[in-house]
Amino acid sequence: MENPYKFIEAEIIDVKDETPTIKTFVLKPKERISFKTGEFMEVAIPGFGEGPFTPSSNPKDDTKLEFTIMDVGRVTGALHRMKTGGVVGLRGPYGKGYPLGEFKGKEILIVGGGVGLAPIRSLIYALFNQLDNYKKIYLKYGAKTPPDIMYKDEVDRWSKDGRSDVKLTVDAGDAKWKGNVGLVTTILEDLKIDLNKSVSVVCGPPIMMKFVTFKLLEIGYKPEDIYLSMEKNMSCGIGKCGHCRIGNSYACKDGPVFSYKTIKDYPNIWD
Amino acid sequence: MAREYYVINSENFRTFLLNLSKERDVYAPAKKNDFISYEKFDPEYEEKYIPDQIRASEPIKSFLTHSREKVDTFPPAGRGHNKQILVGVKNCDITSLAIQDFVFKDNDPKDPFYIKMREDTTIISCDCNLLRETCFCVALDITPYPEKGFDLNLSKEADDFIVEVGSEKGRNLIAENRDLFSKADETQIKNRSAKRESFKNSLKSQAQEKETPDKKSITGSIKKSYAVGDIWNHFASTCIECGGCNHCCPACHCFGLSDQKKDNIKARYKSWDACLYNSYARVAGGANPRRHLYERLRNRFDKKFEFFPDVLGIFGCTGCGRCIEACPGKIDIREVLKKIVQGK
Ligand SMILES: Cc1cc2nc3c(=O)[nH]c(=O)nc-3n(C[C@H](O)[C@H](O)[C@H](O)COP(=O)(O)OP(=O)(O)OC[C@H]3O[C@@H](n4cnc5c(N)ncnc54)[C@H](O)[C@@H]3O)c2cc1C
Ligand code: SF4
Ligand code: SF4
Ligand code: FES
């Protein structure tokens, strides 16, 4: 019998600084691991601790995996202190990723906040892999300040690519910033999207997800067309430990991506 | 399949346990002050074991998962375990196995540690016959005697036990000790039914006296309680967040994985967790979706009376009453349910 609590070792082959608090780790697992965009994995520092993270790399490449991780505490802090050549453990991939089948032929509005751009980068790669399937990609991304904007080169590239429409905002600008200042909801005004042929994807801190969801509903998105990445405390990742429960489902098995419709009637989903 | 019944007298029963204990670890309930708890069968003290009466203090899950176990490798390195026989298991514990099995055995990916323990465990259950103030199985439509889920079941009849066969495993145990058993007759089985009925009725009267709500009225009541003002805050006011209710509960299954390092040896542990703990649902940077104690107390009820009925069709509570006895805050699950059902 397979031991679901055991991890596969992976070597850190590169570490990139994204922002003062966010780094991307490029990992080469000892066994090949493939994932679908939006699925997550448990990343462990052997003998120290483990946490759930979503690969931010292109799902087409199964020779390496990238994770973009914000330093917020114990495990993430220790990960940030690790260097090329270090070894971590990986379990997964787990959960259900983005339902790309449902996105076919539609315009896709992606709304991200902070480190929430990590899973979104993998999604954008996946969409670009087969762009003929989708009409257009709109990315609306909000960061705290201009230095907190992640993946600057890629965001630049996506902005110049005619197949995507990118708009950024920061909560507080600086002398050099010429773009929008305000919460991400402020760049959701005057969308030129046919709502009947569109889905929206939201990933960011819980409070941002709440306000963006309400905004999208106000704009006219149907609850079944709003996809949310729910951040919950997760330990096992496989529907056993109980930690990640949202109403009558587990975020690790039935999510972490949920349509708003499937969870909206459960109590206190935003807390 | 026709049910198979035997009879064994008390002296032969002790020989039976002795025989069983030669090849397996046999655990049987023994009296300790006001409580009954499991002890490894030791023939020197054979008279202290009480298979009947009521459930033991330990939930049956403590024989199938460890409160803390190393899970780096399967099969576990170094520490093997013997096949075990649990004697005197009561129906509230047997019923709880549906939950543990659902989580660890029936749903993919499976937990090989649990499955191995489960396979290596034989259950010799027993009808209850002692009324305890905290028992409320019948309110939840659970009988104080098992009808399935055991290998052998015992029903005390004067100085004898009527033994019902529940599985091939159980049948084999009888075959190995055939001379200790005789066939049960019609009258004995009729007597058993009468005893069961009368004991069930005494539990029913107790539940009525205490106005413990029944299964039907509990169904759906937790969901409604979210809208009722201070109700959960009121109950949580004496909770000290000890997690005792979670740990003694035969249906609670939550755990956490942790990684540790000692003398440069790295190890991964799986340990029981408790949803009453503040750390249970905490996420990045200290944010917590259930930062208030009342939310965590409510969560426990939500999991038992909303989640499990929805995903499995049964309550995550079997009425064993252990949490009532364990709670230092004197929170009585029946009182909570009563107030919730009444909506005040
Ligand atoms: C599905 C999913 C995908 C995620 N993807 C990313 C990502 O791509 N990039 C990123 O930066 N972050 C991601 N996160 C958040 C990340 O898991 C947490 O930031 C991280 O676990 C925090 O660990 P810490 O020990 O550094 O935090 P601390 O604040 O020190 O943790 C405090 C306590 O909470 C526990 N804890 C905190 N968050 C979690 C959690 N989510 N699950 C279990 N225990 C937790 C810790 O073990 C500790 O006990 C994701 C979360 C989920 C649920
Ligand atoms: S709750 Fe019911 S089954 Fe459990 S010990 Fe009490 S009487 Fe027996
Ligand atoms: S046993 Fe009582 S005091 Fe302890 S956590 Fe449970 S409800 Fe709170
Ligand atoms: S993380 Fe363990 S049940 Fe979801």
Side-chain angles (χ1 to χ4, degrees):
Chain A
M1 252 180 297
E2 208 51 55
N3 177 2
Y5 308 121
K6 190 183 154 93
F7 49 69
I8 292 172
E9 288 187 345
E11 190 189 325
I12 302 176
I13 56 172
D14 195 13
V15 183
K16 302 176 204 165
D17 288 325
E18 300 288 353
T19 76
T21 54
I22 298 172
K23 289 183 183 180
T24 293
F25 297 83
V26 185
L27 305 180
K28 192 169 171 54
K30 285 203 169 145
E31 294 167 31
R32 228 161 240 238
I33 294 174
S34 58
F35 70 96
K36 295 199 190 76
T37 179
E39 292 174 344
F40 73 97
M41 300 193 71
E42 287 286 339
V43 180
I45 302 176
F48 186 82
E50 192 185 47
F53 300 92
T54 321
S56 59
S57 49
N58 193 335
K60 217 166 75 177
D61 182 359
D62 67 355
T63 60
K64 59 176 176 21
L65 290 159
E66 292 182 30
F67 289 90
T68 303
I69 294 173
M70 178 150 90
D71 177 1
V72 293
R74 201 180 93 88
V75 171
T76 50
L79 279 166
H80 270 237
R81 291 189 292 276
M82 290 186 78
K83 309 243 159 11
T84 303
V87 172
V88 296
L90 293 175
R91 292 190 296 127
Y94 295 134
K96 293 197 174 74
Y98 292 108
L100 294 185
E102 312 262 323
F103 294 3
K104 267 198 185 137
K106 294 186 178 159
E107 292 188 298
I108 300 158
L109 171 67
I110 303 172
V111 189
V115 75
L117 199 59
I120 288 175
R121 186 177 71 164
S122 149
L123 172 65
I124 291 179
Y125 285 144
L127 295 173
F128 273 140
N129 289 346
Q130 24 177 295
L131 204 73
D132 298 346
N133 281 343
Y134 313 102
K135 284 177 87 174
K136 186 149 187 158
I137 300 167
Y138 296 84
L139 172 65
K140 312 280 176 179
Y141 174 55
K144 278 205 180 101
T145 67
D148 292 312
I149 294 172
M150 287 162 63
Y151 307 138
K152 290 190 185 69
D153 297 349
E154 271 135 322
V155 168
D156 237 28
R157 214 167 340 119
W158 299 331
S159 308
K160 288 175 191 137
D161 193 312
R163 302 169 298 179
S164 54
D165 175 326
V166 177
K167 192 151 190 187
L168 307 184
T169 184
V170 293
D171 298 351
D174 56 19
K176 281 188 287 176
W177 180 253
K178 302 219 167 50
N180 192 79
V181 176
L183 299 177
V184 76
T185 40
T186 60
I187 50 172
L188 292 176
E189 305 288 349
D190 51 72
L191 292 173
K192 290 180 186 62
I193 294 181
D194 176 3
L195 290 179
N196 291 317
K197 286 233 160 62
S198 172
V199 294
S200 55
V201 170
V202 191
C203 187
I207 184 83
M208 168 262 181
M209 303 242 287
K210 175 175 169 177
F211 288 116
V212 170
T213 301
F214 292 159
K215 184 82 197 175
L216 293 173
L217 290 167
E218 188 191 304
I219 292 170
Y221 274 95
K222 293 197 273 307
E224 59 268 38
D225 291 332
I226 302 173
Y227 292 91
L228 306 169
S229 291
M230 301 303 285
E231 180 179 353
K232 289 280 146 194
N233 180 306
M234 290 183 180
S235 182
C236 70
I238 52 175
K240 304 207 176 305
C241 76
H243 283 92
C244 68
R245 187 168 73 90
I246 304 179
N248 296 345
S249 54
Y250 284 131
C252 70
K253 279 204 108 165
D254 310 304
V257 179
F258 289 95
S259 81
Y260 178 58
K261 187 184 174 191
T262 55
I263 53 171
K264 70 181 180 42
D265 294 329
Y266 296 136
N268 305 2
I269 57 165
W270 303 114
D271 289 342
Chain B
M1 196 180 67
R3 293 183 180 248
E4 259 173 83
Y5 299 98
Y6 295 88
V7 178
I8 189 169
N9 66 33
S10 52
E11 206 185 312
N12 280 350
F13 184 71
R14 288 201 285 261
T15 313
F16 182 50
L17 292 189
L18 180 69
N19 290 349
L20 295 179
S21 69
K22 284 176 188 155
E23 281 174 31
R24 304 167 183 90
D25 291 343
V26 173
Y27 294 93
K31 208 158 176 90
K32 256 199 196 152
N33 306 322
D34 281 346
F35 297 97
I36 289 179
S37 59
Y38 272 99
E39 286 183 23
K40 198 162 169 179
F41 179 76
D42 177 346
E44 286 208 26
Y45 301 99
E46 57 178 19
E47 63 292 338
K48 74 176 174 184
Y49 300 106
I50 343 170
D52 57 326
Q53 299 194 358
I54 62 144
R55 56 144 183 88
S57 300
E58 306 87 347
I60 191 170
K61 71 176 179 190
S62 53
F63 289 95
L64 301 171
T65 62
H66 297 275
S67 56
R68 188 176 121 108
E69 68 189 304
K70 237 176 121 187
V71 292
D72 303 71
T73 51
F74 181 83
R79 178 188 50 89
H81 66 266
N82 296 331
K83 296 205 172 186
Q84 59 183 3
I85 297 185
L86 307 180
V87 180
V89 180
K90 303 301 181 286
N91 197 32
C92 47
D93 270 351
I94 293 201
T95 307
S96 77
L97 291 176
I99 302 272
Q100 304 289 342
D101 283 355
F102 173 79
V103 175
F104 296 112
K105 182 165 83 68
D106 302 335
N107 264 305
D108 287 332
K110 302 182 193 311
D111 180 320
F113 300 89
Y114 177 84
I115 291 175
K116 182 85 178 95
M117 290 293 264
R118 186 81 164 90
E119 280 169 0
D120 288 346
T121 302
T122 301
I123 296 173
I124 302 181
S125 54
C126 189
D127 295 3
C128 298
N129 54 16
L130 181 77
L131 191 66
R132 193 176 182 94
E133 191 271 324
T134 48
C135 291
F136 65 105
C137 52
V138 293
L140 309 179
D141 287 354
I142 293 163
T143 53
Y145 49 84
E147 286 173 303
K148 55 176 197 236
F150 54 85
D151 297 299
L152 291 176
N153 182 63
L154 312 169
S155 311
K156 183 117 181 165
E157 184 61 47
D159 267 348
D160 301 338
F161 287 111
I162 298 174
V163 185
E164 182 177 345
V165 175
S167 76
E168 202 50 44
K169 242 192 217 171
R171 186 171 296 114
N172 291 340
L173 292 185
I174 294 202
E176 286 165 28
N177 296 276
R178 188 62 186 84
D179 52 338
L180 301 175
F181 295 85
S182 55
K183 282 265 179 198
D185 63 36
E186 287 288 307
T187 340
Q188 285 166 313
I189 294 160
K190 261 199 199 124
N191 283 349
R192 184 183 85 150
S193 302
K195 270 210 163 132
R196 283 181 161 187
E197 205 47 37
S198 118
F199 185 66
K200 189 163 88 183
N201 285 335
S202 56
L203 278 162
K204 265 189 190 153
S205 318
Q206 172 167 291
Q208 263 156 18
E209 255 164 58
K210 294 186 184 293
E211 298 172 55
T212 307
D214 60 11
K215 188 173 172 184
K216 197 163 151 244
S217 55
I218 296 167
T219 303
S221 64
I222 308 296
K223 204 189 268 168
K224 285 195 202 123
S225 76
Y226 280 76
V228 186
D230 243 12
I231 195 158
W232 288 102
N233 237 329
H234 166 76
F235 290 118
S237 63
T238 57
C239 173
I240 58 159
E241 217 181 306
C242 67
C245 49
N246 293 118
H247 293 318
C248 71
C249 175
C252 279
H253 62 84
C254 290
F255 65 86
L257 295 171
S258 61
D259 293 277
Q260 284 168 27
K261 190 160 125 182
K262 205 179 159 196
D263 305 328
N264 240 352
I265 295 170
K266 294 165 184 168
R268 165 160 286 197
Y269 292 93
K270 174 183 165 216
S271 317
W272 292 356
D273 203 352
C275 62
L276 266 298
Y277 293 159
N278 187 22
S279 59
Y280 179 92
R282 195 160 63 202
V283 291
N288 192 339
R290 291 193 288 277
R291 74 183 66 77
H292 300 110
L293 196 42
Y294 81 86
E295 296 168 308
R296 303 201 285 280
L297 185 67
R298 182 174 63 193
N299 174 69
R300 182 162 189 266
F301 284 75
D302 197 282
K303 177 81 181 258
K304 293 186 176 309
F305 301 105
E306 298 291 349
F307 176 85
F308 276 119
D310 188 53
V311 304
L312 187 59
I314 59 173
F315 282 166
C317 170
T318 65
C320 76
R322 286 184 178 96
C323 58
I324 305 170
E325 290 171 6
C327 183
K330 300 211 175 336
I331 300 172
D332 184 330
I333 187 167
R334 296 167 297 186
E335 287 300 306
V336 177
L337 290 170
K338 187 165 112 189
K339 295 278 164 52
I340 293 299
V341 166
Q342 291 167 350
K344 56 188 184 199

